[in-house]
Amino acid sequence: MTTPRTPTTAEELRGVGLRVTAARVALLETVRSGDHLGVEAIASGVRDRVGHISLQAVYEALHALTAAGLIRRLEPPGSPARFEGRVGDNHHHLVCRTCGVVVDVDCAVGHAPCLTASDDRGFAIDEAEVIYWGLCPACSTSRSS
Ligand SMILES: [Zn+2]
Ligand SMILES: [Zn+2]
């Protein structure tokens, strides 16, 4: 009996046609173990794993992994870009207006109803991004007290 094995990070990179480098492996692991991290936090996570890496190299790796679909970039208006490892499930985000915390929320119940635009204007739509803005529990509590 063979034990099902999840592919290693390096195998996943190869699987999408990317050259495997220590920086890319470290970056993918950092993004996946984090929670909607910004570029600075990702850079320090990568440095913890592989030592010095320039911010430029981090940006290049983020771009390559995002383009390959291994990570997802979200950019709430007025807030710096964040990256996450949860991809391909059309999930959405709750963003706090006060502290900027980002929380995952599954797609609205049913079959991705937000993909059915009231008028698609001829576009072949494949993704809808929804950001629910508001105050997180901690911030709404501190505001009312
Ligand atoms: Zn908050
Ligand atoms: Zn998310």
Side-chain angles (χ1 to χ4, degrees), residues 110-132:
H111 182 66
C114 48
L115 288 178
T116 311
S118 55
D119 179 357
D120 64 21
R121 311 288 292 253
F123 281 57
I125 298 171
D126 60 27
E127 185 177 344
E129 177 150 359
V130 176
I131 298 179
Y132 301 97

Side-chain angles (χ1 to χ4, degrees), residues 36-38 72-76 79-84 100-102:
H36 306 101
L37 298 176
R72 177 173 162 190
R73 173 197 176 97
L74 57 141
E75 201 163 6
S79 142
R82 318 279 195 105
F83 293 84
E84 66 181 342
V101 70
V102 177

Side-chain angles (χ1 to χ4, degrees), residues 10-141:
E11 286 167 349
E12 288 186 75
L13 288 168
R14 259 182 238 115
V16 296
L18 288 177
R19 199 162 46 86
V20 178
T21 65
R24 285 175 175 172
V25 169
L27 186 133
L28 187 51
E29 289 173 355
T30 300
V31 170
R32 284 181 174 165
S33 63
D35 185 18
H36 306 101
L37 298 176
V39 174
E40 292 290 340
I42 292 168
S44 81
V46 171
R47 286 180 189 128
D48 286 347
R49 287 170 161 83
V50 298
H52 180 76
I53 179 171
S54 71
L55 207 51
Q56 181 61 30
V58 170
Y59 275 108
E60 283 169 9
L62 283 170
H63 181 79
L65 296 192
T66 303
L70 289 176
I71 60 175
R72 177 173 162 190
R73 173 197 176 97
L74 57 141
E75 201 163 6
S79 142
R82 318 279 195 105
F83 293 84
E84 66 181 342
R86 186 178 161 187
V87 295
D89 66 352
N90 199 56
H91 78 271
H92 303 308
H93 296 99
L94 292 156
V95 181
C96 177
R97 290 186 191 282
T98 301
C99 66
V101 70
V102 177
V103 181
D104 283 339
V105 54
D106 288 338
C107 187
V109 187
H111 182 66
C114 48
L115 288 178
T116 311
S118 55
D119 179 357
D120 64 21
R121 311 288 292 253
F123 281 57
I125 298 171
D126 60 27
E127 185 177 344
E129 177 150 359
V130 176
I131 298 179
Y132 301 97
W133 291 92
L135 294 181
C136 72
C139 290
S140 57
T141 305

